[in-house]
Amino acid sequence: MNMITPIETAQDSRGAMARRSRWQTRGLILVPIAIAGVVGVKLFDHSDAVAAAPPPAAVTVAAPLVRQVSEWDDYVGRFAPSRSVEVRPRVAGEVTGVHFHDGDVVRPGQLLFTIDARPFAAALAEARANEASAQSALVLARTDLGRATRLIKDDAVSAGEVDALRGKLQAAQAGLAAAQARVRARALDVSFTQIRAPIGGRISDRKVDAGNQVAGGEGTGGTVLTTINALDPIYFTFDGSEALFLKTQRSRQPGAAAPTVEIQLQDETSHRWKGKLDFTDNGLDTHSGTIRGRAVLPNPGLFLTPGMFGNMRLASAGTKPALLVPDDAVQTDQARKVLLTVDRNNVVTAKPVVLGAVVDGMRVIRSGVGPQDRIIIKGTQMAMPGAKVAPTLGKIAVSADASAPMPQPIAGEATLTR
């Protein structure tokens, strides 16, 4: 039986303590190595993130263009004929001929329809026969009175007989005048069988064909045969709000010429049709609070057609400075219009703006930015509000081939027609 001596126990204890001391030393050495590895990994990750960050977006900035332009207001309206006539017959009868093609441009006095003239020609012949009879009666009455006048000196006839003969002469004269009037009336009826254009313009389609019976009469009693619209010049009618009416009245000078208007059609990009304000109604509509206005425009080619819509701008007195920027620089932020600007720190800021008209391809900015603001005119797709950018200085200039005349108006309030 082996016995463990105290000396051996002490030796074993010293050995275990030595082994624990070696493991602790190794642990103390490994811990810094692990920490260094973790830090290295973190530093390596951070350097990758820094390397992956994109550079600031390159944009072109410029100050708004400042120009003096005239003021004008926007309206929407329709074109209307300067004159419009419903062609109706003055006499009744059968239509025997149609002498135009539907949609033709006709001149004043051009033959359009003919009505059977035979009944009216017969009535005219009868009226002329009655005129001849009245003429004979007048000659006889004048002869009788002359004979009686000579005999009265010899007391061959009484004064009463002379007075009676004088009365017959006056009656014969009245009968002849009536007969002549009937001849003229019957002659008019014959002329009315040829229906001619009362005005020049574009004619509509025919409402009746040859062989139809039509009713004649004055006013609206006759059958409508067709209509004619005078298109040169042509009217443009619109309704203006009370606010715009007051603005125009206050800016108008006594004795000044009629304000000029410019009209743009629905498929056009410029206001190429020129005219003048022709008429303003004498009162506002009490229900809508608007007033009716009218402009007149030359239309030699008859291109403008009644019923077409148009956007009209009415020039008003005075000019004022306006800020202009490229139209494609304006951005839409939900229901707002904004311009992207760059501050002193090259940080993008979105500023809401109020827009005006397009002038020579440039958009008028009524409010929201100033002449010293730096507007992003190129690179707006890469610029985000709050982000830094790398701006390059540019310049806003009107294109040399701009077709719109100078100065151009500033858009005002739009007023729709009813």
Side-chain angles (χ1 to χ4, degrees):
M1 182 173 180
N2 295 328
M3 299 292 293
I4 299 174
T5 62
I7 296 175
E8 293 177 347
T9 302
Q11 290 177 349
D12 292 340
S13 299
R14 285 195 298 270
M17 291 177 62
R19 287 193 296 272
R20 285 196 300 271
S21 176
R22 287 196 298 272
W23 283 109
Q24 289 175 352
T25 302
R26 292 176 182 175
L28 292 175
I29 294 173
L30 290 175
V31 167
I33 293 174
I35 293 173
V38 171
V39 171
V41 170
K42 294 296 183 181
L43 291 175
F44 180 77
D45 292 344
H46 182 69
S47 63
D48 287 347
V50 171
V59 297
T60 302
V61 298
L65 179 65
V66 181
R67 280 179 54 184
Q68 289 288 131
V69 293
S70 300
E71 290 190 1
W72 49 269
D73 300 311
D74 273 345
Y75 301 85
V76 176
R78 286 181 182 268
F79 288 96
S82 55
R83 289 187 294 171
S84 184
V85 174
E86 289 184 339
V87 179
R88 300 172 184 264
R90 301 284 294 273
V91 294
E94 179 184 347
V95 176
T96 58
V98 179
H99 307 284
F100 68 93
H101 295 288
D102 297 345
D104 277 353
V105 176
V106 298
R107 63 184 183 277
Q110 180 176 334
L111 181 62
L112 303 178
F113 297 90
T114 54
I115 296 176
D116 187 5
R118 292 174 297 176
F120 305 101
L124 177 58
E126 181 183 2
R128 284 174 175 168
N130 293 333
E131 179 188 15
S133 177
Q135 182 70 40
S136 299
L138 176 61
V139 171
L140 179 59
R142 184 176 290 117
T143 302
D144 291 343
L145 178 60
R147 184 180 301 113
T149 302
R150 289 192 300 271
L151 294 175
I152 196 172
K153 297 178 182 179
D154 300 331
D155 294 330
V157 294
S158 64
E161 291 176 335
V162 172
D163 291 340
L165 292 173
R166 188 175 288 111
K168 287 181 180 180
L169 176 61
Q170 292 175 350
Q173 290 174 337
L176 178 60
Q180 291 172 340
R182 285 192 292 269
V183 169
R184 290 193 296 269
R186 299 294 81 81
L188 280 175
D189 289 342
V190 173
S191 68
F192 289 155
T193 60
Q194 293 187 340
I195 302 171
R196 300 181 179 274
I199 62 172
R202 190 178 298 280
I203 197 169
S204 182
D205 59 334
R206 61 188 184 277
K207 306 303 180 184
V208 296
D209 293 310
N212 286 283
Q213 294 286 335
V214 295
E218 301 293 336
T220 60
T223 304
V224 176
L225 303 180
T226 186
T227 57
I228 302 175
N229 287 335
L231 305 181
D232 185 25
I234 192 170
Y235 288 151
F236 183 82
T237 60
F238 60 93
D239 287 347
S241 67
E242 184 176 352
L244 285 178
F245 174 70
L246 290 173
K247 175 184 175 183
T248 304
Q249 288 293 97
R250 296 184 189 282
S251 62
R252 180 176 299 175
Q253 299 295 327
T260 58
V261 301
E262 299 176 352
I263 298 176
Q264 172 187 350
L265 302 183
Q266 298 299 304
D267 63 342
E268 295 177 341
T269 58
S270 63
H271 295 71
R272 59 181 292 253
W273 304 96
K274 316 297 182 184
K276 291 185 177 181
L277 188 65
D278 176 62
F279 163 78
T280 302
D281 208 352
N282 57 1
L284 276 76
D285 190 307
T286 56
H287 299 287
S288 63
T290 59
I291 190 167
R292 185 165 54 95
R294 186 181 71 198
V296 60
L297 295 84
N299 186 28
L302 306 185
F303 178 80
L304 300 175
T305 304
M308 292 171 57
F309 276 103
N311 298 315
M312 186 193 82
R313 56 191 189 188
L314 174 64
S316 57
T319 61
K320 63 188 301 184
L323 301 181
L324 306 178
V325 300
D327 196 30
D328 53 6
V330 180
Q331 307 294 308
T332 301
D333 181 11
Q334 296 182 353
R336 303 183 305 170
K337 298 295 183 180
V338 299
L339 285 175
L340 299 181
T341 62
V342 178
D343 61 13
R344 295 180 178 178
N345 299 321
N346 295 336
V347 176
V348 178
T349 302
K351 292 187 176 182
V353 293
V354 177
L355 304 183
V358 175
V359 177
D360 293 344
M362 299 292 172
R363 176 65 68 174
V364 174
I365 304 300
R366 289 186 170 276
S367 63
V369 296
Q372 303 302 324
D373 283 323
R374 295 193 298 170
I375 310 297
I376 298 179
I377 58 175
K378 290 184 180 179
T380 54
Q381 297 84 356
M382 304 298 297
M384 300 294 294
K388 271 201 169 186
V389 293
T392 301
L393 185 61
K395 184 178 180 181
I396 298 175
V398 177
S399 175
D401 59 353
S403 59
M406 295 177 61
Q408 290 288 341
I410 298 175
E413 177 184 351
T415 306
L416 299 178
T417 57
R418 291 174 295 169

